């Protein structure tokens, strides 16, 4: 047997061993038919509410900036600041809730205050701007979800 044939045999043996390990690993990971994982996170409704508030808040903030850049309705500057705070707070609690941080209940109290402030400011403009109403409503939803777990 020359070196070339020996390499072919060795390579073939390694391929068989790898294939056997793959089959063994796949067989080992099979679970009983009644075994199921719950893929819903512990605070999924809070995660969803916070994510929606961030998304809606970003659209609202963009709308505020457009209005302010045109020199219109300078009263919306405070609204823009409240929305900016809300975006930061909701993004933070969304991230904490995603990995079940033990700080979520404490953070929920802070987010509740920020959402309340944002909602109050957005309500002032909800009749003129639909996005303001949507943002205020998303703040209420996030507030309510935070209230369920706040300590």
């Amino acid at each position: 047997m020359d070196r070339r044939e020996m390499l072919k045999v060795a390579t073939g043996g390694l391929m068989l061993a790898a294939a056997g390990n793959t089959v063994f690993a796949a067989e080992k990971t099979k679970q009983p038919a009644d075994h199921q994982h719950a893929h819903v996170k512990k605070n999924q409704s809070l995660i969803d509410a916070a994510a929606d508030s961030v998304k809606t808040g970003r659209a609202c903030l963009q709308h505020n900036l457009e209005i302010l850049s045109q020199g219109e309705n300078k009263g919306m500057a405070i609204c823009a600041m409240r929305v900016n705070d809300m975006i930061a707070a909701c993004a933070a609690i969304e991230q904490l809730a995603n990995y079940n941080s033990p700080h979520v209940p404490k953070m929920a109290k802070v987010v509740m205050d920020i959402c309340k402030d944002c909602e109050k400011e957005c309500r002032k403009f909800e009749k003129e701007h639909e996005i303001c109403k949507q943002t205020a409503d998303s703040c209420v939803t996030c507030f309510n979800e935070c209230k369920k777990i706040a300590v």
Side-chain angles (χ1 to χ4, degrees):
M1 181 184 289
D2 67 0
R3 197 171 11 163
R4 189 174 290 173
E5 287 177 6
M6 193 163 50
L7 284 174
K8 285 181 185 177
V9 171
T11 302
L14 288 173
M15 289 174 62
L16 281 173
N21 283 339
T22 302
V23 169
F24 177 73
E27 194 64 35
K28 190 175 179 181
T29 61
K30 286 185 181 176
Q31 299 293 332
D34 62 338
H35 180 82
Q36 295 180 3
H37 288 279
H39 293 287
V40 176
K41 292 192 182 261
K42 179 180 173 184
N43 296 311
Q44 190 62 52
S45 56
L46 172 60
I47 292 166
D48 293 342
D52 183 63
S53 289
V54 169
K55 180 182 172 187
T56 307
R58 286 183 178 147
C60 185
L61 184 58
Q62 178 59 37
H63 180 73
N64 277 333
L65 294 175
E66 287 172 15
I67 290 172
L68 291 170
S69 71
Q70 296 168 3
E72 299 175 26
N73 204 343
K74 300 226 188 275
M76 290 191 84
I78 294 171
C79 186
M81 290 187 286
R82 297 296 175 260
V83 170
N84 199 39
D85 287 350
M86 182 273 293
I87 292 168
C90 288
I93 200 163
E94 176 191 6
Q95 185 173 0
L96 292 170
N98 255 311
Y99 63 87
N100 293 319
S101 169
H103 299 287
V104 172
K106 291 181 277 186
M107 183 66 175
K109 289 178 73 173
V110 174
V111 174
M112 286 171 63
D113 289 342
I114 292 171
C115 282
K116 191 184 329 177
D117 290 346
C118 182
E119 184 219 354
K120 182 179 174 184
E121 202 60 38
C122 285
R123 293 284 180 216
K124 294 177 184 178
F125 305 101
E126 71 180 338
K127 288 186 170 83
E128 301 167 51
H129 308 280
E130 178 61 27
I131 191 64
C132 294
K133 181 185 181 328
Q134 292 170 358
T135 303
D137 291 346
S138 73
C139 283
V140 169
T141 301
C142 192
F143 177 93
N144 289 334
E145 289 302 323
C146 286
K147 190 175 183 177
K148 292 177 185 176
I149 61 166
V151 290

